[in-house]
């Protein structure tokens, strides 16, 4: 073997290390996957030819060796413990109080970090090299998963140290980042394979692969949260110092790691992490508080399998299991038939869930959801609850596959499935199908549309069932008698509704566009159209090509809009609405000099304005030739931020979008 080869080998190792760091740690790859592979395979080539050169820290271990037959057992020198839980402030306060009494101190410093939802592993480094990795198992004996752990890019195979300790055991959590999990599921769905239920299960399944190549294909990550046994270094006095040492050796530790002084700061930390939970790149199920001083930890000791010096303060669970009692079919305003699972009510993610949309037949088939199944329900943050999977082992014998009906359950018309759509639709249309009529009314009345307060579900049902309202324009023909004769309506509430209807007549162009229910035209598109067209006359005369030419309006949307306005009964509906007195301020584009500044400029409004309504602010912008959008992007010219501005403000800051206060805006006007 020549020196040249050895030199090349070192070069390749260095290159890979560099690109691994860019890819896994910085998330900023510099070269394509295939360019990376090329370097990688050159290295494998040399190592295969000259096996003597294969060192334990070689990065080629990352692709994994040959599959193993059985996991070997690993006895933990120091047991891997579990944590006690607190589920509310009171439980956590009691924990802190007890510790203070036991230690006879007034205030305790805690090391605090998120509780990652993955799997505990112990990594053993000897003289700086990763020699063994094991699962927690029963706490005293785990399984040897070294071959799989080596495939995780962020776990160093060699510690960053010129003088590494003889033995250094690091404990931490292996997990699958949320984004990686979503991408993996997309890939699996494309291949028609079963989807993974959640990142935790995905990580667990990946780590238990017998073939490390399978693990290598799963994007896992690791964060260290403690030490096991060690030799050749001095014991630290504080847990936080151990974490610093672990980081110094090149292992990932939590970027959220902090010291909290006493109960109050711990609670503030819990609140802060809870608020940011959804935006963290990995799943967490709480925060962990650990007494920082090791001397105190030793004094406090353990109870059964958990230390007395640490506690997990858990968030409300985001996943629960429950029984799927039945599947209802709901018909919406556009005729779409939506299967809805009726659940045995279950408390999950902070609310009680009893109905969950199953979306369409494909979704039901993919998850193989049947009546009577035991299912896992998930509600994370403000996301709509969903069924993530069926627990197949609990399926009752004889449970049959569920098929959506061939006819509309409301009007009996045939259903159809358009080529590009996942949903099936009732062909009856609003004239035949009362469910579609009710849907249109509910849509029209909602807060974000015409904002008719008091026109709820029950009234809508009665109006349609009694034949009082055939389309939304009939709402404005209702009399006091019509309304007060309905169930649970007196003269007073009937008058209130009439007042609300009257009030709703003064609206804005974009609200009107949204309210009339053009298929797929949501609030954002409605605003876009109101920005683009001077008047309803212009909008309704717009042909496909003109609509298609507008940025962010695709062909399907353009088609829907053009067809809507060409339809005779829609024309009639609009004309009836206008004759009932519906109106909005028309936008007169100001041709004066100062208007030039706003031309082609896009603004976003957020928070509450004190000196004008948002609608007024919008009008002022539009009048001057500017545009108003509902979401921030790099293209946004300025964000006008009123009081209590939230996520839009943060986003604008991140994207470097100009931020104007209400006063700045007024000055500009
Ligand atoms: S410390 C002696 N810290 O939670 C203390 N555990 O419920 C041992 N976990 O088995 C654990 N994030 O898998 C600790 N920041 C963190 C953690 C964490 C997640 C897991 C770990 C442990 C389980 C206990």
């Amino acid at each position: 073997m020549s020196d040249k080869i050895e030199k090349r080998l070192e070069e390749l190792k260095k290159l890979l290390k560099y690109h691994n760091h860019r890819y896994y740690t910085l998330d900023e790859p510099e070269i394509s996957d295939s360019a990376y592979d090329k370097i990688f395979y050159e290295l494998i080539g040399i190592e295969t030819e000259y096996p003597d050169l294969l060192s334990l820290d070689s990065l080629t271990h990352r692709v994994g060796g040959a599959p193993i037959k059985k996991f070997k057992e690993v006895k933990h020198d120091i047991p891997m413990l579990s944590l006690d839980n607190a589920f509310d402030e009171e439980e956590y306060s009691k924990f802190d109080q007890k510790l203070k009494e036991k230690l006879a101190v007034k205030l305790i410093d805690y090391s605090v970090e998120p509780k990652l939802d993955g799997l505990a592993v112990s990594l053993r480094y000897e003289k700086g090299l990763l020699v063994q990795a094991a699962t927690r198992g029963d706490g005293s004996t785990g399984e040897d998963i070294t071959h799989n752990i080596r495939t995780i890019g962020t776990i160093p195979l060699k510690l960053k140290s010129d003088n590494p300790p003889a033995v250094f055991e690091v404990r931490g959590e292996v997990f699958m980042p949320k984004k990686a999990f979503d991408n993996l599921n997309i890939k699996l769905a494309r291949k028609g394979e079963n989807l993974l239920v959640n990142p935790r299960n995905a990580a667990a399944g990946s780590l238990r692969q017998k073939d490390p190549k399978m693990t290598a294909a799963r994007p896992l990550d690791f964060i260290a949260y403690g030490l096991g046994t060690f030799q050749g270094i001095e014991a630290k006095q504080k847990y936080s110092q151990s974490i610093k040492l672990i980081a110094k050796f090149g292992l990932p530790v939590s970027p959220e790691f902090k010291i909290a002084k006493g109960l109050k700061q711990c609670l503030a930390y819990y609140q802060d992490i809870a608020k940011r939970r959804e935006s963290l790149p990995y799943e967490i199920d709480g925060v962990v508080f650990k007494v920082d001083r090791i001397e105190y930890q030793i004094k406090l000791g353990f109870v059964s399998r958990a230390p007395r010096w640490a506690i997990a303060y858990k968030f409300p669970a985001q996943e629960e299991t429950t029984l799927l009692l039945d599947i209802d079919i709901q018909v919406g305003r556009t005729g779409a038939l939506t299967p809805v699972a009726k659940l045995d009510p279950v408390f999950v993610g902070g609310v009680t869930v009893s109905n969950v949309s199953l979306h369409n037949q494909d979704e039901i088939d993919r998850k193989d959801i049947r009546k009577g199944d035991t299912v896992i329900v998930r509600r994370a943050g403000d996301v709509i609850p969903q069924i993530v999977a069926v627990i197949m082992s609990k399926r009752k014998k004889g449970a049959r596959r569920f098929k959506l009906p061939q006819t509309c359950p409301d009007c009996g018309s045939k259903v159809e499935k358009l080529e590009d759509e996942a949903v099936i639709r009732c062909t009856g249309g609003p004239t035949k199908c009362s469910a579609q009529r009710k849907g249109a009314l509910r849509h029209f009345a909602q807060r974000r549309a015409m904002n008719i307060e008091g026109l709820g579900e029950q009234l809508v049902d009665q109006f349609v069932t009694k034949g009082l309202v055939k389309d939304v324009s009939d709402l404005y023909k209702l009399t006091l008698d019509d309304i007060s004769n309905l169930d649970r309506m007196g003269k007073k509430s009937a008058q209130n509704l009439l007042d609300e209807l009257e009030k709703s007549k003064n609206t804005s162009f974009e609200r009107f566009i949204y309210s009339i229910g053009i298929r797929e035209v949501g609030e954002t598109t409605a605003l876009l159209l109101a920005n683009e067209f001077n008047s309803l006359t212009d909008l309704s005369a717009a042909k496909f090509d003109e609509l298609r030419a507008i940025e962010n309006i695709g062909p399907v949307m353009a088609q829907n809009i053009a067809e809507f306005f060409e339809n005779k009964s829609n024309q009639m509906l609009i004309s009836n609405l206008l004759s009932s007195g519906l109106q909005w301020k028309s936008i007169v584009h100001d041709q004066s000099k100062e208007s030039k500044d706003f031309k082609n400029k896009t603004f976003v409004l957020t928070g509450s304005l004190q000196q004008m309504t948002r609608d007024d602010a919008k009008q002022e912008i539009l009048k001057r030739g500017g545009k108003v959008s509902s979401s921030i992007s790099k293209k946004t010219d300025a964000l006008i931020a009123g009081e209590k501005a939230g996520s839009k403000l943060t986003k604008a800051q991140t994207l470097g979008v100009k931020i104007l206060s209400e006063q700045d805006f007024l000055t500009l006007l």
Side-chain angles (χ1 to χ4, degrees), residues 287-517:
V287 290
V288 185
F289 301 136
K290 297 169 188 168
V291 173
D292 196 36
R293 271 174 80 157
I294 306 288
E295 178 203 338
Y296 287 170
Q297 289 192 358
I298 296 168
K299 242 190 210 166
L300 291 164
F302 308 89
V303 255
S304 66
R305 294 169 64 192
R308 279 207 197 89
W309 43 264
I311 198 157
Y313 188 174
K314 302 280 278 273
F315 296 139
Q318 292 186 321
E319 279 184 10
E320 288 295 345
T321 55
T322 191
L323 215 55
L324 187 152
L325 306 170
D326 204 353
I327 300 177
D328 263 10
I329 307 293
Q330 280 176 9
V331 185
R333 72 185 161 91
T334 59
L337 267 62
T338 309
V340 177
K342 300 275 147 189
L343 304 175
D344 194 2
V346 58
F347 190 73
V348 55
V351 295
T352 302
V353 178
S354 36
N355 297 317
V356 176
S357 167
L358 299 176
H359 307 292
N360 52 54
Q361 186 72 54
D362 288 350
E363 183 80 358
I364 294 176
D365 293 345
R366 200 163 55 75
K367 293 180 180 162
D368 189 11
I369 296 169
R370 305 184 190 189
K371 284 185 191 175
D373 274 348
T374 301
V375 293
I376 301 173
V377 182
R378 178 176 176 80
R379 180 183 185 267
D382 292 333
V383 179
I384 297 167
Q386 51 168 327
I387 289 180
V388 281
V390 171
I391 303 181
M392 289 299 171
S393 56
K394 294 207 173 160
R395 172 161 288 163
K396 292 198 187 81
K397 263 199 185 134
R400 289 202 289 157
R401 281 188 181 279
F402 182 82
K403 286 280 164 232
L404 283 166
Q406 303 287 317
T407 52
C408 172
D410 183 80
C411 66
S413 304
K414 271 193 113 157
V415 300
E416 66 174 1
K417 185 170 184 304
L418 300 181
E419 214 175 285
D420 296 335
E421 289 191 332
V423 293
I424 55 172
R425 290 181 194 275
C426 159
T427 53
T431 17
K432 240 180 125 184
C433 182
S434 69
Q436 290 186 46
R437 282 202 295 281
K438 287 179 189 168
L441 277 180
R442 280 194 302 265
H443 174 79
F444 188 80
Q446 64 171 299
R447 196 174 52 82
R448 282 150 41 205
M450 299 302 284
N451 192 17
I452 308 169
E453 216 173 295
L455 182 48
E457 183 118 18
Q458 286 178 359
L459 271 184
V460 165
D461 280 357
Q462 292 193 63
F463 284 148
V464 172
T465 320
K466 303 220 155 103
L468 287 166
V469 176
K470 298 215 166 47
D471 65 41
V472 294
S473 70
D474 288 342
L475 283 172
Y476 295 102
K477 294 181 194 142
L478 290 167
T479 64
L480 193 67
D481 274 353
D482 287 340
I483 307 174
S484 53
N485 282 337
L486 298 176
D487 295 347
R488 274 185 274 165
M489 281 304 260
K491 276 248 157 27
K492 190 163 183 299
S493 35
Q495 187 55 51
N496 284 345
L497 183 62
L498 281 180
D499 293 346
E500 278 298 324
L501 280 162
E502 198 52 38
K503 208 169 90 191
S504 75
K505 287 180 183 172
N506 279 317
T507 184
S508 66
F509 190 19
E510 64 269 20
R511 272 180 189 267
F512 177 79
I513 300 172
Y514 175 59
S515 305
I516 50 179

